[in-house]
Amino acid sequence: MTKILIVEDNESNLDMLSRRLERRGFSVMSARDGREAVEAARRHCPDLILMDLGLPGLDGWQAARILKSECETRSIPIIALTAHALNGDREKARASGCDDYDTKPVEISRLVEKIEYFTGRERREPSND
Amino acid sequence: MHWNPLPGLCDLSIQSKLIALLMAAITVSLGLAMGVFVLVELSAFRDSLRRQMETTARFLSESAAVALAFDDSKRASDSLGALRADSLVEAAGLYRPNGRSMAAYHLPGAGRPASRAALRNEVIFSGNHLELYRLVLLDREQVGMVYLRARLRTFPQLLSRFSAIAALVFVPSLAAGLMVCSRLQRIISGPILETLASRDQELIRAQTELEQRVQQRTAELQAEIAGRKSVEMDLVAAKDLAEESNRAKTSFLANMSHELRTPLNAIIGYSEMLEEDAEAEGKQAAITDLRKIHSAGRHLLALINDVLDISKIEAGRMDVKLEEFETAQLIRDVIHTVAPIARKHRNRLEVRGGNAPETMTADLRRFRQSLLNLLSNACKFTEEGAVSLEVELAEYDGRQWICWIVTDTGIGIPPEKMKNLFQAFYQADSTSTRKYEGTGLGLAISKRLCEMMGGDITATSSPGKGSTFTIHMPAHAPAHRRAVAEQEALCD
């Protein structure tokens, strides 16, 4: 089963996203901030991380940078999720080492497509936006 | 260098110089006159002395002629003795024709008369003496010779007397000259000095005026500099304030975006989830309601996105990033995205070949947004008709353009509404916002985005028949727009 780590500080968003992913057959674990995310990634080695960027404390960009700089977590694909719609976020997410980027509110079918693309469930180019 | 004969003269005033010059001229001319006077007087004195001595010599020769003829020494001595009364003669002598002395006389202390060999008339001035030789004739026969020697003792006295006289004339003349000079020099020096004085005054006045002007100008310049500095400081402060408020605005936009989307995220997400649950449980009534919530949430999200987009454009915070992409892929993508709307309104969706280039350079996301806006508008405003997308290469205004032509067979736009078509917060029919779901910002945003990428959007329409919207994009990419990465960095 594909293990997904959701990093999200907003309870309802976390609850909703994890339930919807679980319903689609993913195993979901969660972290509330960047520090927890780094620790969870080291301990559980998820297949993919959905990273909210605007986190309290250690934010998503910093967490992504740390994860991408460490041997054991480097290979885990990270999809950045943010409510920020401004133009630079996509580039910032890429610069921090995130593999892809999606804006919230997520369109679940598109997100699942991306997850499947990165976890190798289905080798298909996901559409942007 | 100018040769100056009298260095001291330079330091004197012009009056003194004039007086000195005139006095020098007077002195020279008076000196010359005095000299000439003395010389003339001396010469006259010598002449009169010579004549006097010649007269004495003639008397002596007449009185001594007989004595000489008869070689009578005693009478000769007597004749000489008569000379004692003459104070001028200091020595005298009578000579025989053979040159031998017959009688001699001299004043005590004076030298003896000289002996004389050659007998002839002669007058000799020697030193302080006048010596006179005269032949003595008796009946035209030479009987001897008279010798007289006069002392010119009186000559120096005479000279000093003349000098005294000269001085007596010279000094008052000089004094008179000085007086006249000092009065007359004013005729020359007066106007010069007046001119000089007035010129000096003028110069002083001009200098004072110049200094005042310089001071005034300096003060003005200083004031101006101070003014400019203060203006500059104000400008810098205003600029800082503007930048600060711009940063604040951008930051506010980013935060608003975040704050608005987070609850919407939950609304849309949960409604979608409940919809899935209701579908699984077959609760049809709940599905309809949940779809309404979901649809309202999506609409609100679209509104927020559009308002944020137009705000960013108005605030000059929207930046386009040009990249090269494949046109075929983009066409497939937008047709795929817009297909559900076309289906919903029972429209035929067509793509016509044209002569589209394989690649295009633009901000892919923003261009896609614009094209999608035109296509979804066409699908929304057309019922059971046709919506077509045609891409072709055209050349006008001396440039090559890629034209993305979106044509529909929909309701069209009345002519009076055409001019406001691309204005923000505007829809062809104010009631249409309800009927045709949308924000009224889509066209304004699309047009502005295309303009930012060097292109434009134009529209033609016939009401009741349909509309054509064309995106004109430059076939050759314009210069890359200024990156505002550092401003975006402030967005989080």
Side-chain angles (χ1 to χ4, degrees):
Chain A
M1 197 188 276
T2 308
K3 280 191 288 180
I4 294 174
L5 171 63
I6 303 178
V7 189
E8 170 68 81
D9 62 321
N10 182 290
E11 272 309 320
S12 61
N13 280 351
L14 175 62
D15 170 58
M16 175 199 68
L17 193 55
S18 42
R19 276 163 67 189
R20 296 181 84 186
L21 287 176
E22 276 165 358
R23 191 176 285 175
R24 281 167 177 76
F26 294 100
S27 160
V28 176
M29 63 194 84
S30 64
R32 297 295 195 282
D33 59 38
R35 198 173 309 282
E36 265 184 45
V38 173
E39 278 165 19
R42 280 178 191 154
R43 197 174 309 125
H44 304 294
C45 276
D47 296 304
L48 185 133
I49 301 170
L50 293 175
M51 179 81 79
D52 182 31
L53 292 178
L55 294 169
L58 189 68
D59 70 23
W61 290 291
Q62 291 168 315
R65 226 180 273 278
I66 292 168
L67 290 171
K68 287 296 176 184
S69 67
E70 289 178 5
C71 286
E72 60 265 51
T73 54
R74 185 176 295 159
S75 59
I76 305 171
I78 302 174
I79 298 176
L81 293 180
T82 182
H84 286 204
L86 293 184
N87 245 0
D89 286 352
R90 184 192 298 254
E91 282 69 31
K92 274 182 79 177
R94 290 233 191 263
S96 321
C98 295
D99 299 86
D100 207 339
Y101 170 97
D102 214 332
T103 49
K104 292 194 287 187
V106 292
E107 207 173 282
I108 197 73
S109 57
R110 191 175 66 199
L111 184 63
V112 168
E113 251 178 59
K114 285 187 177 180
I115 293 169
E116 285 172 347
Y117 170 76
F118 281 109
T119 55
R121 265 196 184 180
E122 205 177 328
R123 297 270 170 214
R124 185 158 74 84
E125 184 85 20
S127 67
N128 268 328
D129 274 48
Chain B
M1 290 287 280
H2 181 71
W3 176 73
N4 188 356
L6 295 165
L9 206 60
C10 287
D11 303 330
L12 296 175
S13 70
I14 191 159
Q15 291 106 318
S16 307
K17 276 181 196 170
L18 270 171
I19 292 167
L21 285 173
L22 289 169
M23 289 312 290
I26 290 168
T27 308
V28 168
S29 49
L30 267 178
L32 276 174
M34 288 300 142
V36 169
F37 163 74
V38 168
L39 285 177
V40 168
E41 283 299 304
L42 280 176
S43 162
F45 169 73
R46 272 165 64 161
D47 277 357
S48 83
L49 187 66
R50 188 169 57 81
R51 272 196 302 276
Q52 208 176 328
M53 290 308 286
E54 275 179 353
T55 309
T56 306
R58 199 166 58 242
F59 281 125
L60 184 61
S61 66
E62 275 171 16
S63 70
V66 178
L68 280 167
F70 291 96
D71 200 14
D72 186 344
S73 300
K74 193 179 175 296
R75 280 189 71 174
S77 294
D78 288 347
S79 297
L80 286 179
L83 291 172
R84 290 184 200 278
D86 194 333
S87 62
L88 279 176
V89 178
E90 73 167 14
L94 291 171
Y95 299 87
R96 292 188 180 90
N98 59 8
R100 282 174 46 217
S101 174
M102 188 205 260
Y105 151 77
H106 64 91
L107 286 176
R112 290 175 165 277
S115 62
R116 184 75 178 182
L119 297 179
R120 61 172 182 273
N121 289 332
E122 204 172 4
V123 178
I124 301 168
F125 282 96
S126 63
N128 289 333
H129 298 89
L130 182 145
E131 285 174 311
L132 187 139
Y133 298 89
R134 179 154 294 275
L135 294 170
V136 181
L137 298 173
L138 186 70
D139 298 332
R140 298 188 181 179
E141 192 187 329
Q142 188 182 326
V143 290
M145 192 167 188
V146 170
Y147 166 76
L148 286 174
R149 192 174 71 203
R151 269 187 67 185
L152 296 179
R153 190 175 45 208
T154 51
F155 190 75
Q157 290 167 358
L158 207 61
L159 193 63
S160 62
R161 204 173 76 216
F162 286 158
S163 297
I165 291 164
L168 275 176
V169 175
F170 195 77
V171 172
S173 298
L174 267 184
L178 187 64
M179 248 168 66
V180 171
C181 279
S182 58
R183 291 207 177 257
L184 289 186
Q185 57 82 22
R186 285 178 201 158
I187 296 168
I188 298 167
S189 68
I192 294 173
L193 287 173
E194 259 174 49
T195 313
L196 282 176
S198 75
R199 198 159 296 173
D200 280 356
Q201 274 182 349
E202 239 171 78
L203 278 173
I204 288 164
R205 202 176 58 235
Q207 194 189 353
T208 313
E209 201 181 305
L210 199 67
E211 273 170 11
Q212 276 176 352
R213 259 198 232 169
V214 167
Q215 275 175 357
Q216 193 187 340
R217 191 75 192 113
T218 306
E220 277 172 17
L221 278 174
Q222 277 167 348
E224 201 178 316
I225 288 166
R228 287 201 181 174
K229 268 190 188 155
S230 120
V231 167
E232 193 190 325
M233 275 163 67
D234 288 353
L235 281 175
V236 167
K239 183 171 158 279
D240 288 350
L241 193 70
E243 280 173 356
E244 181 62 39
S245 74
N246 211 3
R247 270 196 289 274
K249 198 192 281 175
T250 308
S251 167
F252 175 76
L253 276 177
N255 287 336
M256 277 306 284
S257 168
H258 183 79
E259 298 305 324
L260 292 171
R261 280 161 183 261
T262 302
L264 258 183
N265 203 6
I267 293 169
I268 293 167
Y270 279 111
S271 64
E272 271 178 10
M273 217 167 71
L274 285 172
E275 206 181 308
E276 286 166 16
D277 290 344
E279 269 170 5
E281 290 163 25
K283 292 177 181 167
Q284 199 53 48
I287 293 172
T288 316
D289 290 348
L290 286 166
R291 276 190 185 154
K292 280 177 187 164
I293 296 173
H294 182 243
S295 164
R298 284 279 167 198
H299 186 207
L300 184 56
L301 182 65
L303 278 170
I304 289 166
N305 284 344
D306 279 1
V307 169
L308 284 171
D309 273 356
I310 202 82
S311 306
K312 276 193 281 180
I313 290 171
E314 304 265 306
R317 314 297 303 185
M318 182 70 87
D319 195 36
V320 293
K321 290 179 177 61
L322 301 184
E323 57 182 307
E324 196 176 17
F325 54 85
E326 286 177 27
T327 51
Q329 165 112 34
L330 175 68
I331 292 167
R332 271 199 306 276
D333 179 29
V334 291
I335 292 297
H336 176 75
T337 309
V338 86
I341 311 171
R343 270 200 302 277
K344 186 179 163 192
H345 294 272
R346 294 179 297 282
N347 289 320
R348 204 168 60 253
L349 198 55
E350 297 168 358
V351 177
R352 290 198 210 115
N355 57 347
E358 272 182 32
T359 61
M360 194 177 101
T361 302
D363 184 318
L364 175 58
R365 186 164 147 235
R366 294 307 182 182
F367 181 72
R368 186 176 176 277
Q369 183 183 344
S370 305
L371 185 60
L372 212 51
N373 179 252
L374 295 190
L375 281 168
S376 60
N377 279 351
C379 289
K380 275 193 282 181
F381 291 99
T382 307
E383 296 289 337
E384 297 179 6
V387 172
S388 73
L389 170 65
E390 194 176 349
V391 189
E392 60 175 42
L393 205 59
E395 193 171 331
Y396 49 85
D397 297 341
R399 292 174 66 185
Q400 277 201 315
W401 300 86
I402 305 170
C403 299
W404 299 71
I405 306 157
V406 176
T407 311
D408 66 61
T409 57
I411 56 167
I413 307 152
E416 70 272 14
K417 306 277 184 182
M418 285 298 282
K419 64 180 196 303
N420 294 324
L421 202 58
F422 294 103
Q423 278 184 12
F425 305 102
Y426 183 85
Q427 254 184 355
D429 186 345
S430 55
T431 59
S432 67
T433 310
R434 282 163 189 262
K435 188 177 171 190
Y436 305 100
E437 209 170 71
T439 58
L441 291 172
L443 279 178
I445 292 168
S446 298
K447 188 176 168 77
R448 302 282 278 278
L449 287 174
C450 289
E451 283 169 358
M452 285 173 74
M453 292 183 280
D456 196 10
I457 300 182
T458 56
T460 56
S461 184
S462 354
K465 288 186 181 172
S467 310
T468 301
F469 284 79
T470 307
I471 302 179
H472 310 259
M473 290 299 291
H476 303 286
H480 201 292
R481 287 190 165 259
R482 186 178 60 89
V484 284
E486 80 282 0
Q487 288 160 338
E488 284 165 358
L490 296 159
C491 292
D492 57 295

